[in-house]
Amino acid sequence: MNDTEDLREKLLADVYGGAFSGLGAMLLDEDRIRKADEEELKEIASQYGYK
């Protein structure tokens, strides 16, 4: 996998973990993460607290 796909998988894991722990609204980002290009993924990652 490349860095972009690794980041996508990490973000999706965060979304699923958050949804499982009671933050179901996080699932709203799933489709956005799946469809995002590299730049948008970086933006989403920064919103999730990644550096």
Side-chain angles (χ1 to χ4, degrees):
M1 266 201 244
N2 62 33
D3 291 341
T4 301
E5 292 307 312
D6 288 342
L7 180 56
R8 187 182 320 276
E9 291 301 316
K10 287 178 185 177
L11 288 169
L12 287 171
D14 283 351
V15 164
Y16 299 141
F20 183 76
S21 68
L23 301 172
M26 289 183 77
L27 286 175
L28 297 173
D29 284 337
E30 179 186 12
D31 192 49
R32 181 176 169 214
I33 291 168
R34 288 193 181 281
K35 293 179 180 178
D37 63 14
E38 183 177 0
E39 288 302 312
E40 189 173 3
L41 273 179
K42 288 179 182 178
E43 180 181 325
I44 295 168
S46 70
Q47 293 170 359
Y48 274 72
Y50 286 77
K51 296 191 185 235

